[in-house]
Amino acid sequence: MTLAMVAQRLRRDLGDAAVITDLATRRTYECDGLTPYRCTPGLVVLPEEASGVRAAMLACRDAGMPFSARGCDTGLSGRALPEADGVLIVTSRMRRIIEIDLRNLRAVVEPGVVNLAITREVAPGGYFYAGDPSSRRICSIGGDVAENSGGAHCVKYGFTVHHVTGLEVCTPGGELVQIGAGTAARSPGYDLTGVFVGAEGTLGIATKIAVRLLRAPEAACTILAAFDRVERAGAAVSAIIAAGIQPAAAEIMDALAIEAAEAAVHCGYPAGARALLIIELDGPAVEVEAETAAVTELCAEAFEIRTADDPARRAAIWKGRKSAFAAVGRISRDYLAQDAVIPRAALAEVLGEIDALAGAAGLRVANLFHACEGNLHPLVLYDGQLPGARERAEWVSGQILDLCVARGGSISGEHGVEVDRSATLFRMFSADDLDTMRLVRSAFDPDGLASPGKVFPAPGLCAERSPVALAPRPNAGPGRAGRDNRPGGAWGRNGAGGRHGIGEQRRIDHHGGIGDQPAIEDQGGIGDQPGFGDQPGNGESDGTPE
């Protein structure tokens, strides 16, 4: 079956408005926030409900055609990079908040719902959704699930996986399967929700997501401390953690990141600062007051400290950090963003080595990071119009990953692997490790249609073997190989959907289509107010497309 035949079939099933074939429009879907990687999709489909996702994936299965999923395009690892000979399934029209259950502290939403929309829905009752990627004003919940998104506040509240209690997913074979507890407290058996969250689109597409809601904190305070050296800012973070204080967020910006933020949004940070530490505390008012005093004392090496406990002043402190990724465009034509993790104690040493790498390549690197987790975001600055500049930037980026792994760290903390870092997985995992991961992938997608070529290195890079050869696939047949290996699960007997087996899943159709959501440029949300849903409880981070 050709792309034209798939397009004709999907127009029949979903309508003309849901299928894009003209080249000019398809080109608007050629990349996500990782703009150096581009590919025009062969076909674009925009379903408005779960049945439309299923129809698209059945067509791909029958045609043996690859597909990728796309949300609001804010990712920084190339997850939404399409296939030239495949189908791009865009979930941005699936934007219904299906259910709010405050008694059980749960919400059920479609994948195209913007992250912050959940908090705005429940904030009047004093609740919030704690999943906190920095692009939460523009990123979709479906994308957060695919990447297991983090953010500034994950040091206290955790990553997306800690807030998703269940999923309805469409498998690459075109079956709607419900996994996890849904709106119930928990479910027995394997944690398939944990497997799916962070799988980066390689196991299927989420069509419904159950998330946990929390009570908004009583009080919050944001503290800005300016230092003359990054090492001193890092030492202050270690002292705060050692004192038993649990920040809601702890962010550090270096001099180059500060310069970019000032150029973009004129945030008025202390003059002469070589490093800024932003600490956010939240919780009971008495506790926040005591911890604010303690943190101020622990930042004794700072030459200036500011504190803010009202929304406007807190917004002023967060303004520069929130704009930092996008603001780098003010001081550099191009940049590559990395997402490595190191032990916090290795921070000073690693930053020194990053500076040396940049100097050797004749480039600059701006650093900002989630300090408590040691999650670095080095931004390698370059001018793509200069011969060899991009190659040198890519070399520096790769070397940064190497040195972070050598210090006991990781190649990614929250942005994902996908195409950007897939060739570096062998630096952390053996061939046997990667084969085991592929066995999991092939259990969901035995035909290898979901986001092919992403996450795992191409065969030959580290002598890995074919997952298809490794995976047991009984009852194999043309286009249906390995069907018996597909995962099952229950949405939750007391929650939404009840219990269903793989071959007898009840499809929950979502009626009432919503108009198309246009592509969103990755501008980072400069100037947004802080807070989970603009509440005074927690400052949103930098607005970058993490």
Side-chain angles (χ1 to χ4, degrees):
M1 192 183 301
T2 65
L3 277 168
M5 296 170 67
V6 170
Q8 183 179 15
R9 170 174 166 171
L10 291 176
R11 282 198 175 99
R12 181 196 67 207
D13 293 344
L14 305 179
D16 290 343
V19 182
I20 297 174
T21 57
D22 72 279
L23 177 61
T25 308
R26 283 188 287 122
R27 289 193 65 184
T28 65
Y29 294 91
E30 67 184 2
C31 69
D32 58 9
L34 189 69
T35 56
Y37 294 88
R38 297 173 182 266
C39 179
T40 302
L43 179 66
V44 178
V45 181
L46 295 100
E48 296 183 358
E49 54 190 35
S51 61
V53 174
R54 182 172 184 267
M57 294 175 79
L58 283 172
C60 290
R61 183 204 67 187
D62 293 345
M65 189 169 291
F67 66 86
S68 297
R70 178 185 176 104
C72 289
D73 324 328
T74 59
L76 285 171
S77 61
R79 178 183 59 82
L81 188 71
E83 300 290 326
D85 59 348
V87 177
L88 183 65
I89 301 173
V90 183
T91 60
S92 58
R93 293 183 180 179
M94 300 173 65
R95 292 180 291 172
R96 285 201 308 142
I97 296 178
I98 298 167
E99 179 184 1
I100 298 293
D101 183 359
L102 295 181
R103 291 179 60 190
N104 291 307
L105 296 178
R106 297 289 188 272
V108 180
V109 304
E110 290 181 325
V113 170
V114 171
N115 179 299
L116 191 57
I118 301 175
T119 290
R120 287 177 170 159
E121 185 75 16
V122 300
Y127 298 89
F128 73 103
Y129 171 63
D132 183 41
S134 295
S135 56
R136 65 198 312 255
R137 293 178 178 274
I138 55 174
C139 69
S140 67
I141 290 293
D144 292 349
V145 166
E147 299 289 356
N148 190 21
S149 299
H153 291 86
C154 61
V155 60
K156 180 173 183 177
Y157 291 100
F159 290 76
T160 299
V161 71
H162 299 112
H163 306 292
V164 173
T165 60
L167 298 163
E168 177 186 85
V169 305
C170 190
T171 71
E175 294 174 283
L176 289 174
V177 180
Q178 294 169 340
I179 59 178
T183 56
R186 60 178 301 171
S187 63
Y190 293 116
D191 181 15
L192 293 180
T193 302
V195 172
F196 194 91
V197 175
E200 305 185 30
T202 62
L203 306 183
I205 299 176
T207 54
K208 180 186 294 183
I209 302 153
V211 299
R212 180 178 290 108
L213 303 174
L214 298 177
R215 271 285 186 184
E218 181 184 7
C221 181
T222 305
I223 302 166
L224 172 71
F227 295 84
D228 59 2
R229 292 169 54 192
V230 172
E231 293 85 355
R232 289 179 174 173
V237 173
S238 295
I240 290 166
I241 298 300
I245 297 171
Q246 174 63 75
E251 301 288 297
I252 292 179
M253 302 169 62
D254 74 359
L256 200 51
I258 296 168
E259 176 189 341
E262 291 287 357
V265 298
H266 312 291
C267 39
Y269 287 147
R274 303 297 297 172
L276 291 177
L277 170 61
I278 299 175
I279 294 286
E280 184 138 286
L281 304 167
D282 68 13
V286 173
E287 180 180 297
V288 170
E289 182 179 0
E291 290 185 342
T292 299
V295 168
T296 301
E297 185 175 336
L298 291 168
C299 291
E301 291 191 306
F303 66 81
E304 184 175 338
I305 297 177
R306 302 174 186 174
T307 62
D309 57 9
D310 66 86
R313 292 171 59 217
R314 289 176 55 224
I317 289 176
W318 277 107
K319 185 177 182 181
R321 172 61 182 92
K322 290 170 54 183
S323 70
F325 266 69
V328 168
R330 296 297 185 97
I331 63 172
S332 178
R333 179 184 295 273
D334 302 289
Y335 68 89
L336 295 177
Q338 272 300 354
D339 173 45
V341 181
I342 57 170
R344 193 171 58 249
L347 179 61
E349 182 181 4
V350 169
L351 290 178
E353 293 191 43
I354 290 175
D355 284 343
L357 286 169
L363 300 173
R364 298 181 297 167
V365 176
N367 291 288
L368 55 154
F369 39 92
H370 310 313
C372 286
E373 306 97 297
N375 188 186
L376 306 182
H377 294 309
L379 308 177
V380 183
L381 314 185
Y382 70 100
D383 184 346
Q385 294 186 343
L386 299 178
R390 176 173 169 178
E391 289 76 14
R392 284 183 286 123
E394 290 176 341
W395 177 82
V396 170
S397 292
Q399 292 297 305
I400 289 172
L401 294 181
D402 279 345
L403 71 90
C404 289
V405 171
R407 297 301 183 281
S410 168
I411 62 170
S412 179
E414 56 184 344
H415 292 177
V417 176
E418 292 297 348
V419 298
D420 190 34
R421 301 173 187 87
S422 63
T424 65
L425 272 183
F426 71 90
R427 298 171 184 174
M428 291 187 64
F429 302 105
S430 70
D432 287 342
D433 293 332
L434 294 173
D435 283 344
T436 301
M437 296 180 200
R438 285 192 178 90
L439 285 171
V440 175
R441 180 172 182 170
S442 64
F444 283 77
D445 181 22
D447 298 323
L449 300 180
S451 297
K454 295 178 182 175
V455 179
F456 296 105
L461 288 178
C462 56
E464 62 269 28
R465 298 179 296 280
S466 166
V468 177
L470 285 164
R473 301 193 299 156
N475 301 332
R480 305 292 287 170
R483 178 181 175 90
D484 290 351
N485 287 335
R486 291 173 184 159
W491 181 259
R493 292 176 176 82
N494 298 319
R499 184 177 185 275
H500 307 285
I502 294 173
E504 54 200 27
Q505 278 299 318
R506 176 170 62 89
R507 187 175 77 251
I508 302 175
D509 291 327
H510 308 304
H511 302 289
I514 300 174
D516 192 5
Q517 177 173 302
I520 299 175
E521 295 293 334
D522 263 330
Q523 297 302 317
I526 296 174
D528 292 342
Q529 295 296 313
F532 290 120
D534 299 333
Q535 300 302 306
N538 286 287
E540 188 188 42
S541 56
D542 60 19
T544 61
E546 292 180 6

